[in-house]
Amino acid sequence: MKRLFGVKKEKAPAPTLEDASGSLDKRGASVDAKIKQLDAELARHREILRTCRTPAAKEAAKRRALQVLKQRRLYEGQREQLYNQQYNVEQISFAAQSAKDTAVQVSAMQASAKELKKQFNSKAFDVDKLDALNDEMADLMDQSREIQDVLGRSYDVPEDIDEEELMGELDALEEMMGEEELDEEVPSYLRDEALPDAPDGTQEALPAAGEDAPVAAAAEPAQKSAAQ
């Protein structure tokens, strides 16, 4: 059957803007390469014209240079056309992509609006019920605070306690605790001990600097005998 009727050929996909832009890029690169080649040839003809000695040779070189220059201008015109075509294709591609993005955004917004309407129309979003629920929660919070206040009361605490008297006791307690901490921090060998009282009517002279204590003690009985 395939030999009689043949096989149906698959239809080639339509070219895209990316394909058109790629093709224009290739053509532009080819034209640029030709223009570069013609520039090198013009430089060579210019050198020939500078070194020609006979008028006939100079005229022949000039005609060849003019021919190359005409080709160069032709390729420059083609390159300008390709640049303009590529610019138009890029603008169309940008507009098409923007249209696709806009369509996606509109579709997403429509779906979101539909979902929001569905949610707001449900019983869970009833404004009156939400307002009543808010008032109920406020009442429950007030009731909870009252319960906490009741549970936080102290038992058997007289109401006629003088706060100034309590503050005086607190200050005295803090002072006592500070003294105890000071005694604990100072070692026993560094504490100031009470000295014994000096005997009545007797004063002992301390030795001056450079004097020995025994000499001063021996001179005191001699002074007492002379006085008698």
Side-chain angles (χ1 to χ4, degrees):
M1 297 295 292
K2 292 183 179 180
R3 293 180 180 179
L4 294 176
F5 300 100
V7 181
K8 184 179 180 181
K9 295 182 179 181
E10 295 182 358
K11 187 177 180 180
T16 61
L17 292 174
E18 287 77 8
D19 297 336
S21 179
S23 177
L24 291 174
D25 284 337
K26 292 180 180 179
R27 291 176 60 188
S30 177
V31 172
D32 289 337
K34 291 179 181 180
I35 291 175
K36 187 176 180 180
Q37 183 179 0
L38 291 175
D39 288 338
E41 190 172 352
L42 280 175
R44 184 171 59 84
H45 288 306
R46 191 181 300 112
E47 184 66 21
I48 293 173
L49 286 172
R50 191 176 63 83
T51 57
C52 284
R53 297 183 179 179
T54 60
K58 184 177 290 187
E59 187 66 23
K62 187 182 294 186
R63 286 197 300 269
R64 288 193 296 270
L66 289 174
Q67 186 66 26
V68 173
L69 186 60
K70 290 179 182 180
Q71 293 179 1
R72 187 180 184 281
R73 289 184 177 179
L74 177 63
Y75 284 125
E76 285 180 348
Q78 292 179 359
R79 184 180 62 181
E80 188 68 22
Q81 291 178 358
L82 290 174
Y83 285 167
N84 292 333
Q85 292 176 8
Q86 188 174 8
Y87 175 77
N88 294 332
V89 169
E90 290 177 354
Q91 291 295 319
I92 296 172
S93 177
F94 179 78
Q97 187 63 36
S98 298
K100 291 180 181 179
D101 295 340
T102 303
V104 172
Q105 294 175 4
V106 170
S107 178
M109 291 173 65
Q110 290 176 350
S112 300
K114 184 178 180 181
E115 185 67 21
L116 287 173
K117 288 180 180 179
K118 182 179 178 181
Q119 292 292 336
F120 288 149
N121 291 331
S122 63
K123 296 181 179 179
F125 286 89
D126 190 353
V127 178
D128 296 333
K129 291 183 178 180
L130 290 175
D131 193 9
L133 178 61
N134 190 18
D135 294 338
E136 184 179 358
M137 290 299 298
D139 294 338
L140 290 174
M141 292 301 296
D142 293 338
Q143 186 177 358
S144 176
R145 281 192 293 268
E146 292 178 0
I147 294 173
Q148 295 298 325
D149 293 338
V150 171
L151 294 177
R153 293 176 183 173
S154 300
Y155 299 103
D156 296 334
V157 177
E159 297 180 356
D160 56 348
I161 296 178
D162 189 0
E163 293 185 359
E164 294 182 358
E165 183 179 355
L166 291 177
M167 292 300 296
E169 293 181 4
L170 180 60
D171 293 339
L173 181 60
E174 290 180 355
E175 184 177 357
M176 186 182 301
M177 293 175 62
E179 292 178 356
E180 292 178 357
E181 291 179 358
L182 183 60
D183 292 339
E184 292 178 358
E185 293 177 358
V186 178
S188 60
Y189 60 87
L190 294 179
R191 295 177 184 174
D192 295 334
E193 296 181 357
L195 298 176
D197 297 335
D200 297 336
T202 304
Q203 295 183 354
E204 295 180 358
L206 296 176
E211 295 181 356
D212 295 333
V215 176
E220 185 178 353
Q223 292 177 0
K224 289 182 179 180
S225 298
Q228 292 177 358

